[in-house]
Amino acid sequence: MTGLKPEIEESWKIALMDEFQSPYFSELKSFLNDEKEKHCVFPKGSEIFAALNHTPLPSVKAVILGQDPYHGDGQAHGLSFSVPKGVPHPPSLKNIFKELSDDLGIPIPESGNLEKWAKQGVLLLNATLTVRKSEAGSHQGKGWEEFTDTIISTISSLRAGIVFILWGKYAQNKQKLIDTSKHFIIKSVHPSPLSVYRGFWGSKPFSKTNQLLIDNGLEPIDWNLTK
């Protein structure tokens, strides 16, 4: 079980207990153990569940769904679209920051570390939580998707008034897991350079999220990473 040793925040540990004890999760752990013996795997073990550890289930206000962790050296640290301080912004993150600046007039930050968002209740969840170095999608179909689908379903079931931000078709396919009668969906094309011009620019997801939170009597997210 060396592949999945990290501690997991208590509220998530309780909510996901059945998953951790399921046959597919045992197979996933075996796969990861084997991968780590033969390959370099990102992110490091202590950061695989960073999204859950930074944003406990009762604290979730919004969810930003990604697909895979970054597969370059030093990029992935367990939060979708985020990179550690000092790491150059990947193309999609550059576009996210440009839209944030256009939407709310917030300066583009030097650091691409989105932990500040996570600590305010933005669950930065990838569908697949690990990847082999330099091989995008290499850990898809191994069990992570079942695990993270359960996370989405759990939020949908146990919480209300959550804003789900779904960028691109992959994330939008997860809408079937969400009870839209009690949650909110904000969607557009993916911020990737391949699609950003088809409707990501001007989609204003950050101001829309805050307005929905305010309308529900919740504190808005301070999206500004420069202070």
Side-chain angles (χ1 to χ4, degrees):
M1 189 177 161
T2 54
L4 286 176
K5 278 283 190 183
E7 286 298 309
I8 296 176
E9 189 277 329
E10 192 65 20
S11 65
W12 286 114
K13 187 184 295 184
I14 293 168
L16 300 171
M17 187 63 67
D18 288 347
E19 304 306 300
F20 296 130
Q21 297 174 352
S22 68
Y24 86 83
F25 204 81
S26 295
E27 293 174 10
L28 173 59
K29 287 189 287 187
S30 296
F31 166 75
L32 282 178
N33 289 337
D34 190 53
E35 279 285 284
K36 289 190 173 190
E37 287 180 7
K38 299 174 182 175
H39 305 282
C40 181
V41 173
F42 298 138
K44 63 184 180 183
S46 62
E47 294 177 333
I48 290 173
F49 298 111
L52 304 182
N53 290 335
H54 282 300
T55 315
L57 178 56
S59 302
V60 175
K61 292 181 177 179
V63 181
I64 296 179
L65 291 177
Q67 188 166 355
D68 270 354
Y70 297 122
H71 54 82
D73 278 315
Q75 292 182 307
H77 68 142
L79 304 176
S80 63
F81 296 103
S82 180
V83 291
K85 184 177 180 180
V87 175
H89 302 171
S92 291
L93 185 58
K94 284 183 181 179
N95 291 334
I96 289 168
F97 285 156
K98 183 179 184 302
E99 177 60 23
L100 175 62
S101 180
D102 291 346
D103 184 5
L104 293 174
I106 288 172
I108 293 174
E110 287 186 19
S111 173
N113 189 330
L114 306 182
E115 286 180 7
K116 179 181 176 181
W117 296 358
K119 290 175 179 176
Q120 294 180 81
V122 182
L123 182 68
L124 297 166
L125 182 68
N126 281 317
T128 304
L129 297 189
T130 56
V131 69
R132 189 186 298 173
K133 178 181 176 177
S134 302
E135 295 188 39
S138 50
H139 287 187
Q140 292 178 7
K142 304 298 183 182
W144 278 131
E145 293 90 344
E146 186 169 349
F147 180 71
T148 55
D149 280 359
T150 300
I151 292 173
I152 297 167
S153 299
T154 298
I155 295 169
S156 179
S157 173
L158 298 182
R159 298 293 311 283
I162 306 300
V163 182
F164 288 85
I165 301 169
L166 309 180
W167 289 330
K169 289 183 180 178
Y170 186 89
Q172 288 165 20
N173 285 338
K174 303 295 184 180
Q175 185 170 329
K176 63 181 181 292
L177 304 170
I178 302 164
D179 182 349
T180 55
S181 71
K182 63 172 184 169
H183 298 289
F184 305 102
I185 306 290
I186 293 175
K187 57 187 176 182
S188 75
V189 299
H190 196 276
S192 159
L194 297 174
S195 58
V196 70
Y197 293 100
R198 299 202 302 269
F200 184 75
W201 299 140
S203 61
K204 301 187 180 299
F206 307 100
S207 59
K208 288 178 181 177
T209 295
N210 277 356
Q211 191 59 56
L212 288 167
L213 294 174
I214 291 167
D215 289 347
N216 279 273
L218 297 173
E219 282 288 317
I221 306 298
D222 178 6
W223 299 103
N224 193 339
L225 298 172
T226 64
K227 61 182 183 180

